[in-house]
Amino acid sequence: MGGRNQSSVSEFLLLGLSRQPQQQQLLFLLFLTMYLATVLGNLLIVLAISTDSRLHTPMYFFLSNLSFVDICFSSTTVPKVLANHILGSQAVSFSGCLTQMYFLFELTDMDNFLLAVMAYDRFVAICHPLRYTTKMTRQLCVLLVAGSWVVANLNALLHTLLMARLSFCADNVIPHFFCDVSPLLRLSCSDTHLNEMMILTEGALIMITPFVCILASYLCITCAVLRIPSTRGRCKAFSTCGSHLAVVALFYGTIIAVYFNPASSHSAEKDTAATVLYTVVTPMLNPCIYSLRNRDLKAALRKVVSRNIFSYR
């Protein structure tokens, strides 16, 4: 069997988050509410930024891209969970499972890269304010986002092709609510050493490099802010970075907990809880976190909402 690339499993069964009917009903309503909040919140941010000329700056350009990625990110997993509950089916085809895994890799990488790009933007704005407009040009911003998409696609394609070469012989039950790489590797009856090695080396490099850039950017920002003589000036500078740091901590904390621990330390319950955080909760919270203390964005959001309300009257 080791010489064959085809899988004898044609579909997988996603167990979801619970097997208790009452809990399933509650989780369905919870996931539906969070998904609608995610799509609505992030869509409002995209609309607010695109329609308000005051927000046509690099920081908001990157934020609108992050909101778009978060909509796609949640849409990769949650609609399938909701559909399975409505249809009473747990099945997902082998090709459908690999497709979902591909988009999860791609969009996780995009979140990762965009958070790093946003940290660099804040570094230039605070540490080199006089050169901000000449450094953060429209061309550079577009190039950073486009380059992120290219690298994210190539990385996702690599891991998807590595997964496609594995054989799945008998067990096709995934104790998860989507096709994640860790439970799939545990189901394979092939040698998964290459897959695990690539996740812990190339995959780790893709995740850690932007994370190191974020840490370096904020170290420089902290040093620059501490040199500001007035307390009010320091608070204002830190407030522009606080929301970004909160998102970074939530995103990287859960990613590291799930993917960068030895396989022996994984458990279905812990992995599921952590993945709910970064696939469902984080995209939902991002609009709240970024708009909570941002007066310009809140004003633009109010304008979009009021415009839509009056248009229906």
Side-chain angles (χ1 to χ4, degrees):
M1 186 164 239
R4 293 193 307 172
N5 288 334
Q6 289 88 4
S7 170
S8 58
V9 170
S10 61
E11 66 178 21
F12 293 100
L13 298 178
L14 297 170
L15 290 186
L17 295 170
S18 173
R19 300 182 194 180
Q20 303 295 325
Q22 289 183 336
Q23 289 183 356
Q24 286 178 350
Q25 293 285 350
L26 180 62
L27 288 169
F28 173 81
L29 292 174
L30 186 62
F31 268 60
L32 178 61
T33 302
M34 288 194 294
Y35 180 64
L36 292 176
T38 299
V39 173
L40 180 62
N42 285 289
L43 190 59
L44 281 174
I45 284 186
V46 173
L47 289 173
I49 292 172
S50 61
T51 56
D52 194 327
S53 58
R54 294 175 303 170
L55 302 183
H56 292 175
T57 63
M59 180 176 76
Y60 293 109
F61 172 72
F62 296 133
L63 179 56
S64 64
N65 276 275
L66 182 66
S67 293
F68 171 73
V69 168
D70 281 343
I71 292 172
C72 298
F73 198 16
S74 283
S75 299
T76 305
T77 56
V78 180
K80 180 62 178 174
V81 174
L82 300 177
N84 282 356
H85 179 81
I86 294 170
L87 298 173
S89 170
Q90 296 176 315
V92 57
S93 66
F94 183 75
S95 59
C97 198
L98 289 183
T99 302
Q100 188 181 58
M101 195 191 79
Y102 171 85
F103 283 111
L104 281 168
F105 264 108
E106 178 192 35
L107 296 167
T108 301
D109 288 346
M110 276 305 299
D111 260 342
N112 183 35
F113 295 147
L114 286 172
L115 290 174
V117 168
M118 291 169 77
Y120 175 71
D121 173 73
R122 293 298 82 206
F123 160 73
V124 177
I126 293 173
C127 299
H128 306 283
L130 299 179
R131 290 186 286 172
Y132 181 75
T133 53
T134 56
K135 278 193 169 189
M136 298 303 296
T137 61
R138 179 73 178 177
Q139 291 81 1
L140 177 62
C141 293
V142 171
L143 184 64
L144 287 171
V145 173
S148 297
W149 278 110
V150 170
V151 176
N153 273 283
L154 291 174
N155 182 56
L157 184 62
L158 169 66
H159 289 283
T160 304
L161 291 175
L162 285 174
M163 185 65 71
R165 58 179 272 280
L166 299 180
S167 295
F168 297 86
C169 309
D171 192 3
N172 68 337
V173 177
I174 300 176
H176 217 315
F177 64 97
F178 64 88
C179 293
D180 199 13
V181 62
S182 298
L184 281 173
L185 289 178
R186 285 197 290 270
L187 289 180
S188 175
C189 53
S190 303
D191 182 8
T192 61
H193 178 71
L194 178 60
N195 298 67
E196 292 175 356
M197 185 181 69
M198 290 303 293
I199 289 172
L200 293 173
T201 53
E202 184 270 346
L205 185 65
I206 290 285
M207 295 300 297
I208 290 172
T209 302
F211 184 57
V212 170
C213 292
I214 292 171
L215 292 179
S217 296
Y218 276 104
L219 182 62
C220 295
I221 288 171
T222 302
C223 294
V225 169
L226 291 177
R227 289 196 294 267
I228 298 175
S230 68
T231 305
R232 185 179 178 182
R234 287 197 294 269
C235 291
K236 185 178 179 181
F238 276 128
S239 68
T240 63
C241 305
S243 56
H244 184 252
L245 280 173
V247 172
V248 167
L250 186 59
F251 178 77
Y252 281 101
T254 52
I255 290 287
I256 291 169
V258 174
Y259 296 109
F260 299 108
N261 281 317
S264 58
S265 67
H266 285 268
S267 71
E269 294 78 11
K270 289 180 181 178
D271 284 1
T272 302
T275 49
V276 167
L277 277 177
Y278 87 84
T279 58
V280 183
V281 178
T282 302
M284 180 188 69
L285 291 179
N286 282 356
C288 302
I289 294 172
Y290 280 111
S291 61
L292 191 63
R293 299 181 63 183
N294 191 314
R295 285 179 295 180
D296 292 336
L297 186 55
K298 281 194 287 188
L301 286 170
R302 280 195 295 267
K303 191 183 295 184
V304 169
V305 172
S306 61
R307 186 186 300 135
N308 288 331
I309 290 174
F310 284 118
S311 67
Y312 284 109
R313 288 184 176 180

